[in-house]
Amino acid sequence: MTDVPEVLAEFIVSEIRLARGAAGMTQDVFGRAAGYTASHVSAVENGTRALTVDFIRGADRALNTGGLFRRLATRLGAPSWFLRWLDAERTATQLRYFEPILIPGLLQTEHYARTVLRADDSLTDGEVEQLTAARMDRQKALTGDRPPQLVAVLDEGALRRSGDSFSGIMAQQIAHLRTMTELPHVHVLIIPATSGLHIGLSGPFALARSSEGQWVGHLENQLGGEAVDKDEDVAKLQVMWESVRNEALPRSASVDLLKEVETYHGPQ
């Protein structure tokens, strides 16, 4: 498994070392529980061997943390502008996503997410793997005990994107979307190509509603993103949401279109 970014790795290694000491575990005992040799543990703690996501998982297992270090790596590895939205998304009772180009992160397969992230050639392989893992972790919210209601409106163009090495990934992704629509709290609605121009083509956005009834919006752009919670900004996004949702096909017709598009991409 690939490396964790250096600054974050130093922090997590120091916390693992402290937790190991507090538990009274030698490097040998810890290593056997984590699936590594004592020399490997020593090298990671001394900074002569890279910290990996697999080692973090082993540390959580050995120290019985319930996944604490993995969550730290995921959370602290996120860019600062994204943390406000992650909080809103994680605690939401309702989620609204509009995407004109890509499948929303909460509904992406691992292969699709990795392929999309690799399109940014400024990211290292390690960063791509870390971001992919973080995205997969976020999806656990949809299968928990009290999942939020998720409504995703997608433009048909996002479903028909293809290429010599991409059609198989897209076929798998569409099949995953159809599976997700079988969950009672997940709704995927498609704006057909025949709708032509609509307001949503200006860019993706999302909305999250807390248990207290407060809404937070999220906007993405080429330089990052922005969480918005001012009443006037959220109100504008709500108006845009109603507009794009009104352009979309009903739920059953959207599922039929998903089946058609899956055939378009060919067998998985």
Side-chain angles (χ1 to χ4, degrees):
M1 199 63 153
T2 52
D3 302 348
V4 175
E6 185 176 355
V7 175
L8 178 60
E10 290 176 359
F11 171 72
I12 293 178
V13 166
S14 68
E15 292 300 309
I16 290 175
R17 187 190 301 113
L18 287 172
R20 178 179 65 76
M25 301 175 75
T26 65
Q27 289 179 336
D28 181 55
V29 171
F30 171 86
R32 280 188 275 114
Y36 292 90
T37 64
S39 61
H40 188 118
V41 174
S42 177
V44 171
E45 290 189 352
N46 291 330
T48 59
R49 188 160 192 160
L51 176 69
T52 64
V53 176
D54 282 340
F55 188 94
I56 292 172
R57 290 194 185 103
D60 279 326
R61 188 167 58 248
L63 296 166
N64 195 28
T65 67
L68 173 63
F69 294 118
R70 177 61 187 277
R71 291 196 299 274
L72 279 174
T74 299
R75 183 63 177 272
L76 297 179
S80 59
W81 56 263
F82 199 39
L83 294 180
R84 175 73 177 92
W85 173 252
L86 285 180
D87 275 337
E89 184 183 76
R90 179 177 54 83
T91 59
T93 58
Q94 295 179 353
L95 289 168
R96 305 286 183 259
Y97 282 90
F98 170 69
E99 275 284 357
I101 299 173
L102 298 171
I103 308 302
L106 286 185
L107 296 173
Q108 291 179 3
T109 65
E110 184 173 346
H111 288 316
Y112 181 95
R114 185 177 290 110
T115 301
V116 169
L117 290 166
R118 279 182 176 157
D120 182 352
D121 58 13
S122 70
L123 296 175
T124 66
D125 287 345
E127 289 169 334
V128 167
E129 291 302 320
Q130 182 190 1
L131 291 169
T132 301
R135 193 162 294 182
M136 296 302 103
D137 263 3
R138 285 167 56 203
Q139 295 180 3
K140 293 177 182 177
L142 297 180
T143 55
D145 293 335
R146 302 188 68 179
Q149 181 201 56
L150 169 65
V151 181
V153 174
L154 312 181
D155 192 89
E156 184 179 347
L159 306 176
R160 293 193 180 273
R161 191 170 299 278
S162 62
D164 291 342
S165 60
F166 196 54
S167 286
I169 293 172
M170 278 304 302
Q172 183 187 56
Q173 175 64 70
I174 301 303
H176 177 66
L177 285 177
R178 290 209 295 117
T179 298
M180 293 301 291
T181 62
E182 295 173 2
L183 298 174
H185 57 282
V186 175
H187 305 254
V188 177
L189 308 178
I190 311 300
I191 297 178
T194 53
S195 290
L197 295 177
H198 55 81
I199 192 172
L201 293 177
S202 59
F205 63 91
L207 288 157
R209 184 181 188 271
S210 71
S211 57
E212 292 80 26
Q214 296 175 321
W215 288 90
V216 173
H218 183 252
L219 301 170
E220 289 190 23
N221 57 55
Q222 292 289 342
L223 298 178
E226 177 187 10
V228 296
D229 55 11
K230 291 182 180 179
D231 289 346
E232 58 268 32
D233 293 336
V234 171
K236 288 178 181 177
L237 289 180
Q238 294 282 16
V239 170
M240 291 182 68
W241 170 257
E242 291 301 322
S243 178
V244 296
R245 182 163 183 171
N246 287 338
E247 292 284 347
L249 296 171
R251 191 177 189 185
S252 59
S254 292
V255 171
D256 289 341
L257 184 52
L258 284 174
K259 294 177 182 177
E260 177 191 327
V261 174
E262 187 178 2
T263 302
Y264 163 82
H265 286 292
Q268 297 180 44

